[in-house]
Amino acid sequence: MDNQIETALCCSDSISQSSVTISDFSDEILLNILRFIPSHDLMLNVSRVCRKLQTLCLDKSLRAHVHLHKEYTANDDAVKQLLKNFSGDIQTLNLSGCYWLAGSTVDQVTRCKGLVSLDLSGCRLTSIRLSHLLTSLRSLCSLALDVGPGFDLQQLSAEGKSALARLQELKQTLLTPSYGVVPCCSALRRLHLYLEASEGWREAGGCAQLMVGQSSVPHYQNLRWFSARLAPGEVNRTLLALYLAVFSMRVPEGLTGLVLFVPGPAPPRPVAMTALMESMASTVGNTVSALQLPRTWLDGAILGRVLAHGCPVYLNVSRCSSPGFNPLHVLLSAGRDLTPLRSLNLRGCGRGPLAESCGKGEEEMDTESVKALTECCPHLIHLNLSATHYHHAGQDGHLCGTLGRLGALCSLALPVCALAQSSPTPVNIQDSNSDLTPRSLFLGLKKSSRVGVPIYRPSTEVMGGQGEERQDRGLCIQPLLQGCPNLVELELIGAGFSSAMPRNEPAIRKDPVACSWSYNVGDGELAALGGMKFLRKLTLAHLPGVLKGTGLIDLVKGCKDLHSLSLANLGSLKSMNYTLALLEALSFCTQLRDLRLEQPYFNANAAFFEELSHCHQLRRLCLVSRHGTFQPSAVTAFMQSCTDVIMCHMFMGGTLVACKTLQKTLLDSFSISRPALSVVIYPLLHEDLAHVIRGMPLCHLDEITLFKSRVAEEPMRRQL
């Protein structure tokens, strides 16, 4: 910020040549503006602008709640100075994801004697350091921390254990099989677990050591909320079973939130689960606020019992449908008031397998039930309908018209085929994975023809009658655009899509089969999405109908406030056919913070990075490309010109030596000026990739590097 407040000239018909400066604003207006500025910026920069701002920066409303999550420019010196100057006023301190801060910086938190809530997720924290913190923070009610290898609960002082006994909320990320600090937290009302132990601990017998001390875990008699999110792996499933075993000894009477996310095969349903659900449903005056269970644990009887006492605010039944059990039918037939529902995840839940399904077990969307849902739940804010198929028959209204009734909707996930207005033309669809005819021998030797697929031209090229054709391609989307003006997050993910970037397994080498209807969703539909003026997060995955990608240009021109963009497998998977359109589109992404691009045969050359450098707000970049190539000098030049980029993850082709050389060059060149810098460059198909993934900062890994549907995946923030 400059050393003086810039003058803003306000000229109107009645007032001319009169200047109004920011100094003329009331204190109340200025305080509201200053709340959007990071705390360390207030102290180091804003407070030095002038005397008035210096005085306002001392206001306790700006100093009571300090949030440094995603503030990548906050280095050790700035945070130490901040904690020193604000220590007497800070009540809430969020350092989650600040993995770059030194342990000595975390030690300075002991100055903040009045802290009530402290989030140290991702920070370097040892048992001894935690003991010193807890001894000083006697008013602490909420704590978030990571528990890594070597953590020893016995190293905590008596004062530290007493502080834990007073905690009402605990968020604990377990990087190793452990109970962490839970055995000392006997007064907990809310417990959030993130189980991130690697499979190496299973071979070492890590969970076997916990079974002996199982009785030391408290009975959770005051617990109101229990959530656990697991990384893939048997060791994490075993660890969850150990935590849930506590409920077999005593079932909490007032539990209102139970959220269990278990990827892959779920462990056997605990015996105590039935009693737990009975208690949640039968407690007088108790309404469940959030519910998610593994698919094999939830059935119509359990869901019906919960709904009999009221509708939750958050309900996640992702992939829970099974023969004889349709979660949406149970929800609608419960006979309860469903207006409290704000977040609903129906991912993979339909009325049964699709007759012409392209993949095994793919579900068809129950459109009649979705229509009834929009009438019963008019206040829905987050809705996930992905991993299903919707094929518009033509006689009834389109799905987008139905969803347009949800005026409060902020985030939405749909299958790509939901935007198709007509059935596919068989001659246009070619499946290279299943083509066994003699002509398949010539694949790769000649260009495959695509007959009858309409070519979209961007608005700058549209002339005469072509404008009407352009409007027709996005006609079905218009009711959604008009009815949901507050939409800020949209995901269009092809049913059956699987990312080539795995979590704990080798990279996927075979491309997923696309839904035949999704071939009718192309550049015209993408251009129509540009009508979402307030869109901030956009995910497009597995759109085989995209030809040249020209629709992206109009899309980003309309969505001027786009902060996060994720593109995966657009158009042909045999070559990168939308490079030119992508380069032009990037020049309009002036507000883009995060970019994830996954596409086979992508060439990250100088032209790409030159256009990407126009995204001046860019912070994080992830490139995933099977058989892709990169130009090391172009990557280095890009990182040098875009000084705010703190994450560069590239998983492409190339040799291991070339990848490691570039990674070392970037780290050596920019780590000092960018303390939060995270650079990982590795061959996508290398057998050790899973081990490399486990070493990344969890905040980047979960938020951008790994592909997944994020709409309605977690309870709303005010519930957590």
Side-chain angles (χ1 to χ4, degrees):
M1 184 174 288
D2 297 334
N3 292 328
Q4 59 182 3
I5 299 179
E6 296 183 359
T7 300
L9 296 179
C10 302
C11 301
S12 64
D13 295 336
S14 58
I15 303 177
S16 60
Q17 303 297 329
S18 63
S19 62
V20 178
T21 67
I22 292 182
S23 300
D24 296 320
F25 291 169
S26 68
D27 290 353
E28 183 179 2
I29 293 177
L30 287 174
L31 284 174
N32 278 309
I33 295 174
L34 294 177
R35 287 191 180 96
F36 291 92
I37 300 177
S39 302
H40 66 286
D41 255 350
L42 288 176
M43 179 193 66
L44 297 178
N45 299 316
V46 179
S47 62
R48 300 177 181 178
V49 172
C50 66
R51 185 170 299 176
K52 180 170 184 175
L53 289 181
Q54 182 181 31
T55 302
L56 289 175
C57 287
L58 298 176
D59 192 275
K60 289 188 176 182
S61 66
L62 299 178
R63 302 158 67 99
H65 307 287
V66 177
H67 298 274
L68 296 180
H69 177 61
K70 290 189 178 181
E71 297 298 338
Y72 305 115
T73 59
N75 57 30
D76 284 299
D77 291 337
V79 175
K80 287 179 180 179
Q81 190 66 31
L82 172 69
L83 295 176
K84 179 181 178 181
N85 294 351
F86 286 22
S87 59
D89 299 318
I90 299 179
Q91 299 176 13
T92 300
L93 179 59
N94 185 350
L95 296 177
S96 63
C98 294
Y99 52 87
W100 61 90
L101 293 180
S104 58
T105 302
V106 177
D107 287 337
Q108 299 301 310
V109 176
T110 56
R111 294 173 173 268
C112 309
K113 307 296 183 182
L115 265 183
V116 176
S117 176
L118 175 62
D119 192 337
L120 295 174
S121 303
C123 295
R124 303 170 187 175
L125 196 63
T126 63
S127 306
I128 300 298
R129 180 165 289 124
L130 176 62
S131 181
H132 291 160
L133 286 173
L134 294 173
T135 301
S136 303
L137 308 177
R138 298 174 180 265
S139 301
L140 201 62
C141 295
S142 175
L143 175 65
L145 76 163
D146 290 358
V147 175
F151 182 87
D152 186 2
L153 191 61
Q154 301 305 317
Q155 292 183 343
L156 299 185
S157 64
E159 294 84 356
K161 292 181 179 179
S162 297
L164 290 174
R166 295 189 294 269
L167 284 182
Q168 296 185 15
E169 182 176 23
L170 175 66
K171 174 186 172 185
Q172 189 171 248
T173 301
L174 298 169
L175 306 175
T176 179
S178 170
Y179 289 128
V181 299
V182 170
C184 296
C185 303
S186 54
L188 281 182
R189 297 177 67 87
R190 304 173 71 86
L191 176 59
H192 312 266
L193 297 175
Y194 294 81
L195 309 184
E196 294 282 346
S198 66
E199 284 298 277
W201 291 103
R202 181 177 63 169
E203 301 172 1
C207 288
Q209 302 175 10
L210 300 181
M211 298 180 185
V212 178
Q214 184 172 338
S215 60
S216 65
V217 180
H219 291 174
Y220 305 142
Q221 59 268 22
N222 299 317
L223 207 61
R224 299 293 179 268
W225 180 286
F226 181 86
S227 67
R229 299 190 67 83
L230 280 65
E234 182 63 31
V235 64
N236 290 313
R237 291 193 288 270
T238 303
L239 191 54
L240 174 64
L242 292 175
Y243 273 93
L244 293 176
V246 179
F247 294 125
S248 63
M249 293 182 279
R250 178 170 180 175
V251 177
E253 298 179 354
L255 196 67
T256 62
L258 182 61
V259 178
L260 304 177
F261 172 76
V262 182
R269 185 164 66 181
V271 177
M273 187 54 57
T274 302
L276 180 62
M277 299 306 299
E278 288 282 359
S279 174
M280 292 179 67
S282 61
T283 304
V284 178
N286 186 40
T287 300
V288 177
S289 62
L291 179 66
Q292 179 183 3
L293 293 177
R295 58 183 302 177
T296 57
W297 295 13
L298 188 65
D299 55 32
I302 289 179
L303 183 57
R305 288 193 198 103
V306 172
L307 294 173
H309 292 266
C311 180
V313 176
Y314 170 80
L315 180 61
N316 190 330
V317 291
S318 173
R319 298 193 181 278
C320 285
S321 60
S322 60
F325 173 47
N326 186 319
L328 186 52
H329 285 177
V330 176
L331 178 66
L332 295 173
S333 62
R336 306 297 301 182
D337 177 21
L338 301 183
T339 55
L341 191 60
R342 296 293 185 272
S343 181
L344 177 62
N345 193 323
L346 293 171
R347 177 174 168 80
C349 292
R351 61 185 178 190
L354 191 66
E356 67 272 23
S357 176
C358 300
K360 183 179 179 181
E362 294 181 3
E363 295 278 334
E364 181 181 9
M365 189 182 301
D366 191 345
T367 52
E368 289 300 319
S369 296
V370 172
K371 182 177 180 180
L373 177 70
T374 60
E375 297 172 354
C376 298
C377 308
H379 306 303
L380 269 178
I381 299 175
H382 311 287
L383 178 61
N384 194 325
L385 297 173
S386 62
T388 58
H389 289 266
Y390 170 77
H391 297 167
H392 179 52
Q395 65 271 20
D396 299 324
H398 195 276
L399 175 66
C400 290
T402 300
L403 297 176
R405 303 173 184 173
L406 300 174
L409 205 61
C410 290
S411 62
L412 175 65
L414 291 175
V416 172
C417 55
L419 298 189
Q421 300 185 80
S422 59
S423 59
T425 304
V427 72
N428 295 340
I429 303 166
Q430 297 179 3
D431 181 4
S432 60
N433 293 326
S434 59
D435 190 356
L436 301 179
T437 61
R439 65 183 176 84
S440 63
L441 299 174
F442 297 98
L443 287 178
L445 300 180
K446 64 177 182 178
K447 286 188 176 181
S448 57
S449 59
R450 306 185 67 176
V451 182
V453 180
I455 297 178
Y456 170 80
R457 297 180 181 275
S459 57
T460 54
E461 300 179 20
V462 173
M463 296 182 298
Q466 294 176 344
E468 297 179 2
E469 179 184 352
R470 174 187 168 210
Q471 292 176 355
D472 291 342
R473 292 298 306 276
L475 190 61
C476 69
I477 306 175
Q478 294 306 315
L480 180 64
L481 303 183
Q482 297 168 6
C484 304
N486 301 315
L487 207 60
V488 296
E489 181 176 9
L490 177 66
E491 294 179 351
L492 290 179
I493 304 175
F497 172 73
S498 296
S499 172
M501 186 70 189
R503 180 66 191 264
N504 289 341
E505 300 82 19
I508 299 173
R509 297 172 182 262
K510 185 178 179 181
D511 297 321
V513 179
C515 169
S516 58
W517 283 66
S518 63
Y519 283 84
N520 278 3
V521 179
D523 290 310
E525 286 73 18
L526 294 186
L529 296 179
M532 298 181 177
K533 302 301 181 183
F534 299 105
L535 199 66
R536 289 197 169 199
K537 300 180 68 176
L538 176 64
T539 297
L540 302 173
H542 211 195
L543 279 76
V546 172
L547 292 182
K548 297 183 178 180
T550 48
L552 283 173
I553 301 172
D554 278 348
L555 191 157
V556 298
K557 282 182 178 180
C559 304
K560 298 181 182 298
D561 204 25
L562 202 61
H563 285 191
S564 176
L565 178 61
S566 176
L567 305 176
N569 289 12
L570 304 189
S572 171
L573 301 184
K574 301 174 187 177
S575 62
M576 177 76 175
N577 59 358
Y578 66 100
T579 301
L580 295 179
L582 174 65
L583 298 186
E584 184 175 349
L586 287 175
S587 64
F588 297 102
C589 297
T590 57
Q591 300 299 315
L592 197 64
R593 268 75 163 173
D594 296 338
L595 174 63
R596 186 186 191 276
L597 178 60
E598 178 174 342
Q599 189 78 27
Y601 301 100
F602 176 63
N603 182 10
N605 55 19
F608 168 74
F609 283 107
E610 182 178 353
E611 293 299 328
L612 189 61
S613 63
H614 292 125
C615 305
H616 301 296
Q617 303 291 330
L618 194 68
R619 301 291 184 273
R620 299 188 292 186
L621 171 66
C622 179
L623 301 179
V624 179
S625 180
R626 189 162 24 89
H627 309 303
T629 58
F630 61 86
Q631 188 174 338
S633 58
V635 180
T636 305
F638 162 74
M639 291 292 290
Q640 189 169 7
S641 63
C642 294
T643 57
D644 289 334
V645 175
I646 56 86
M647 191 203 92
C648 180
H649 291 179
M650 295 171 54
F651 306 95
M652 309 178 75
T655 65
L656 181 60
V657 172
C659 291
K660 286 191 171 183
T661 300
L662 177 58
Q663 178 176 311
K664 184 178 186 302
T665 299
L666 297 181
L667 290 173
D668 290 346
S669 302
F670 306 111
S671 289
I672 296 179
S673 58
R674 309 177 203 182
L677 184 64
S678 172
V679 177
V680 181
I681 302 175
Y682 212 78
L684 178 63
L685 301 181
H686 197 280
E687 59 184 4
D688 292 334
L689 177 62
H691 176 73
V692 173
I693 289 176
R694 286 194 291 269
M696 300 180 193
L698 283 177
C699 56
H700 298 322
L701 185 66
D702 187 63
E703 293 172 4
I704 181 171
T705 304
L706 294 180
F707 183 95
K708 64 179 181 179
S709 177
R710 293 176 171 83
V711 172
E713 274 295 295
E714 295 208 24
M716 298 170 66
R717 189 170 298 275
R718 60 172 171 265
Q719 285 186 274
L720 296 175

